[in-house]
Amino acid sequence: MRQLILLLGDHLHPAPPALEGFDPAQDGIVMIEATGEGTHVWSHVARITLFLSAMRHRAAELRAAGYPLQYLALGDAAHAGAALTDRLASVLAQHRPERLVLVEAGDWRLMRAIEATAAAAGVTLRVLDDPHFLCSHAEFKTWARGRKRLLMENFYRRMRAQERVLMDGDEPAGGTWNFDAENRKSFGAKGPGALPVVRRFLPDALTRQVMAEVQQHFPGHPGQLDAFDWPVCRADALAALEDFIRVRLPAFGDHQDAMWSQEPWLWHSLLSTSLNLKLLDPREVITAAEAAWRAGAAPLAAVEGFIRQILGWREFIRGVYWFDMPGMKTANHYGHHNSLPAWYWTGDTHMQCMRNVVQTTLKHGYAHHIQRLMITGLFGLTAEIDPAAVADWYLAVYVDAVEWVELPNVAGMALFANGGRFTSKPYAASGAYVKRMSNYCKGCRYRPEQRVGLEACPLTQFYWNFVDRHHAVLASEPRTALMAKNLERLPEAERAQIRNEAQARLSQLDTL
Ligand SMILES: Cc1cc2nc3c(=O)[nH]c(=O)nc-3n(C[C@H](O)[C@H](O)[C@H](O)COP(=O)(O)OP(=O)(O)OC[C@H]3O[C@@H](n4cnc5c(N)ncnc54)[C@H](O)[C@@H]3O)c2cc1C
Ligand code: SF4
């Protein structure tokens, strides 16, 4: 065999880059399911199902297009082993190809393991940069090198100009780069009102078969499968894109930071899974959104806000991950070492905000951005939980989780574990923020405005304790000086009480 092409589970591109120049007479293709990829973090059953079902759908398409494909299913006895690389080693021994070819893995750990496996087998490895992304590693490095702090907004403007997205000549459309000031509204007491119906994708026979195998091979894993309805193939993903652009994009942004119990989707796009599996190309998503604005079907503020997430945040986060790994994985700026409370896996807590977000996550494998950042992430930060434990949880429970996108969001954005490499301040807030942006506090056992006492909201108490602990640094930075100033207004006796009560609670997070 001249070359063996390895298609990984999140490399389901419509036109696989690794298949360019494929010659069936001397080349082979392999796709590998491995239990180890679902157990190295204790993965949600919906996350495993999504990856495996999408892989099997893609395999069927490739076979129908005439490609010879070797597919190792979970139960394949001929190539035993839990680790993907054990199974790969067995396939390499079987075919003895001159070369192993793959698009770069989305996970530093897996990429290094594949390199080691190829080296041990004496097979040359060819790793292709992933053309799915608009910014290559080389371009990102050139931009980032020498900058002390990496600011997404600068990167985003450069990408807009370079890719000619939402530009009128050399100027940003509408005369400004960023319409964020028009987003971020809360719902008020009445809530979101009537919400658009979201198009969902009921499991077909192939997905149902995968579900049965996942139940068999991954007993005791978190999450539920009865609500599983994610796009698993390109046709579904295109339908999901069309539905979002037509139905929810016009109001995207207005309430991007708002949360409401029992309303998991709001106006979010739900496209992260299709993008991360490479069923959708970011260019077609961006083009569709811009076209909706140019056709008068969606306002510029909504379209700019959405495009910024894809062309800005998503590309930036991917660049940062490869630029800062492997150090990002062990970063722990504040030296936090508390264990992750057991209720992160069950939702069994008195904190209504946490219960709601964890339960939604267990049901769908999904929570929207602000729930991830300002509920489960915020708690992880101010409850002083070990960043590695928090990151493993995020990687396990979200259907769109691949480490290149999960880790920078957790370590960099939510936990400030890398010391503000690309955020100008920690995302610390009290229960007052949650009260303003959601209805979670209504009926909660705790009181969001209360800093001390049995009914003190843990988020509020931990927030003030966090500001107290880091007072000197926060006071010295213009963007956080107000947090420090507000703490100084509290009587010393109350500050001491916050410290004492917070210490007691921090040592028994499981009971909250
Ligand atoms: C702590 C934390 C962990 C996260 N983990 C993941 C993850 O594992 N996988 C993942 O895809 N996203 C992750 N995100 C980013 C974001 O929350 C999700 O992309 C988004 O919630 C997915 O839902 P959606 O498709 O409805 O997004 P929308 O709200 O509709 O946003 C549109 C798209 O923009 C992109 N996007 C938006 N924000 C980000 C961001 N911060 N980083 C990268 N892309 C972004 C996504 O592709 C998303 O589909 C995380 C964010 C935080 C704060
Ligand atoms: S009172 Fe505190 S713990 Fe309860 S829902 Fe509000 S923010 Fe969450």
Side-chain angles (χ1 to χ4, degrees):
M1 184 180 278
R2 180 182 66 161
Q3 55 185 15
L4 178 67
I5 288 142
L6 171 63
L7 293 183
L8 293 171
D10 61 336
H11 287 165
L12 309 179
H13 311 71
L19 291 188
E20 243 173 60
F22 183 83
D23 177 0
Q26 39 180 352
D27 299 338
I29 309 172
V30 65
M31 294 176 83
I32 303 177
E33 296 179 357
T35 48
E37 288 304 298
T39 53
H40 81 97
V41 289
W42 201 234
S43 294
H44 192 304
V45 283
R47 176 174 183 254
I48 306 172
T49 297
L50 175 65
F51 273 77
L52 299 189
S53 174
M55 283 173 76
R56 291 188 191 185
H57 279 86
R58 192 75 187 100
E61 288 165 2
L62 287 169
R63 284 203 183 104
Y67 284 102
L69 171 70
Q70 183 177 10
Y71 193 96
L72 273 59
L74 285 177
D76 193 316
H79 301 279
L84 190 148
T85 42
D86 288 345
R87 302 188 122 201
L88 174 63
S90 160
V91 174
L92 290 175
Q94 179 189 4
H95 298 297
R96 303 189 168 282
E98 287 166 28
R99 205 162 53 216
L100 175 66
V101 181
L102 78 156
V103 169
E104 171 190 79
D107 180 324
W108 196 89
R109 162 199 64 93
L110 186 58
M111 198 58 249
R112 298 292 88 86
I114 291 172
E115 283 167 4
T117 305
V123 174
T124 305
L125 182 65
R126 183 160 172 243
V127 181
L128 309 175
D129 201 357
D130 192 341
H132 168 90
F133 295 98
L134 288 102
C135 182
S136 70
H137 289 321
E139 282 172 303
F140 190 86
K141 261 188 201 151
T142 307
W143 175 80
R145 206 175 274 140
R147 290 171 196 254
K148 190 161 167 261
R149 184 167 277 163
L150 305 176
L151 289 181
M152 195 291 290
E153 188 63 30
N154 298 343
F155 172 83
Y156 167 59
R157 290 179 189 190
R158 189 173 172 277
M159 291 300 288
R160 283 267 299 275
Q162 178 185 305
E163 299 296 322
R164 311 292 313 151
V165 171
L166 290 180
M167 297 298 289
D168 284 337
D170 288 338
E171 296 302 316
T176 177
W177 293 99
N178 185 316
F179 287 81
D180 229 10
E182 297 182 29
N183 299 334
R184 320 283 189 227
K185 297 183 190 103
S186 68
F187 291 130
K190 286 198 181 134
L195 287 166
V197 176
V198 171
R199 172 151 188 196
R200 309 299 290 164
F201 301 87
L202 291 181
D204 62 7
L206 199 50
T207 302
R208 289 198 300 275
Q209 169 66 29
V210 171
M211 286 172 161
E213 291 180 37
V214 168
Q215 305 278 24
Q216 179 199 337
H217 288 275
F218 300 92
H221 275 243
Q224 297 143 29
L225 279 178
D226 30 339
F228 185 95
D229 51 6
W230 293 98
V232 291
C233 62
R234 173 133 172 99
D236 288 357
L238 286 170
L241 172 61
E242 189 279 332
D243 179 59
F244 167 68
I245 298 284
R246 186 170 44 80
V247 181
R248 299 191 301 289
L249 175 63
F252 183 89
D254 277 357
H255 296 101
Q256 221 177 311
D257 283 6
M259 301 168 275
W260 205 256
S261 48
Q262 317 310 328
E263 297 296 353
W265 321 123
L266 299 170
W267 288 271
H268 292 278
S269 71
L270 315 182
L271 293 176
S272 54
T273 54
S274 300
L275 281 163
N276 295 352
L277 294 173
K278 319 290 160 56
L279 295 173
L280 286 180
D281 189 290
R283 294 163 192 82
E284 66 190 331
V285 176
I286 291 166
T287 302
E290 178 163 357
W293 168 61
R294 295 211 182 264
L300 182 55
V303 170
E304 186 284 315
F306 176 70
I307 286 179
R308 182 162 12 98
Q309 307 308 313
I310 311 268
L311 183 61
W313 277 113
R314 189 168 182 270
E315 293 286 328
F316 174 80
I317 284 289
R318 188 250 181 177
V320 165
Y321 174 75
W322 289 104
F323 195 62
D324 279 358
M325 278 300 276
M328 188 184 285
K329 187 86 181 160
T330 49
N332 191 352
H333 176 70
Y334 291 122
H336 287 166
H337 292 294
N338 281 340
S339 305
L340 193 78
W343 45 256
Y344 262 80
W345 299 101
T346 62
D348 192 8
T349 164
H350 301 292
M351 302 173 67
Q352 197 133 283
C353 51
M354 296 292 295
R355 184 166 68 228
N356 201 286
V357 173
V358 172
Q359 283 178 350
T360 299
T361 299
L362 293 173
K363 184 168 178 194
H364 298 289
Y366 179 88
H368 61 73
H369 184 72
I370 214 67
Q371 294 172 315
R372 299 189 204 193
L373 183 65
M374 297 307 287
I375 302 292
T376 42
L378 170 63
F379 187 87
L381 169 69
T382 58
E384 304 180 1
I385 301 173
D386 181 353
V390 182
D392 278 358
W393 180 80
Y394 276 96
L395 190 56
V397 297
Y398 288 108
V399 279
D400 55 21
V402 186
E403 196 179 79
W404 68 262
V405 56
E406 169 271 329
L407 187 62
N409 272 297
V410 175
M413 293 255 278
L415 303 182
F416 206 76
N418 58 359
R421 176 89 160 120
F422 54 88
T423 47
S424 54
K425 60 173 188 163
Y427 282 94
S430 74
Y433 172 88
V434 178
K435 186 181 173 201
R436 190 167 67 252
M437 298 309 292
S438 76
N439 63 340
Y440 295 148
C441 300
K442 233 176 166 190
C444 180
R445 157 198 276 220
Y446 303 109
R447 300 275 159 266
E449 62 284 348
Q450 221 160 295
R451 287 184 285 265
V452 289
L454 282 178
E455 290 193 334
C457 162
L459 283 177
T460 299
Q461 189 168 70
F462 292 166
Y463 166 78
W464 290 106
N465 183 58
F466 176 86
V467 178
D468 188 78
R469 269 190 78 164
H470 305 289
H471 177 263
V473 176
L474 296 173
S476 69
E477 294 278 344
R479 294 213 58 197
T480 50
L482 188 63
M483 291 159 94
K485 266 248 149 346
N486 286 337
L487 178 80
E488 288 158 22
R489 294 201 183 100
L490 301 186
E492 181 46 44
E494 188 179 343
R495 282 176 70 172
Q497 194 177 352
I498 290 171
R499 275 194 293 272
N500 291 340
E501 290 185 9
Q503 277 324 304
R505 273 180 167 175
L506 286 169
S507 64
Q508 40 183 339
L509 293 174
D510 274 327
T511 63
L512 289 174

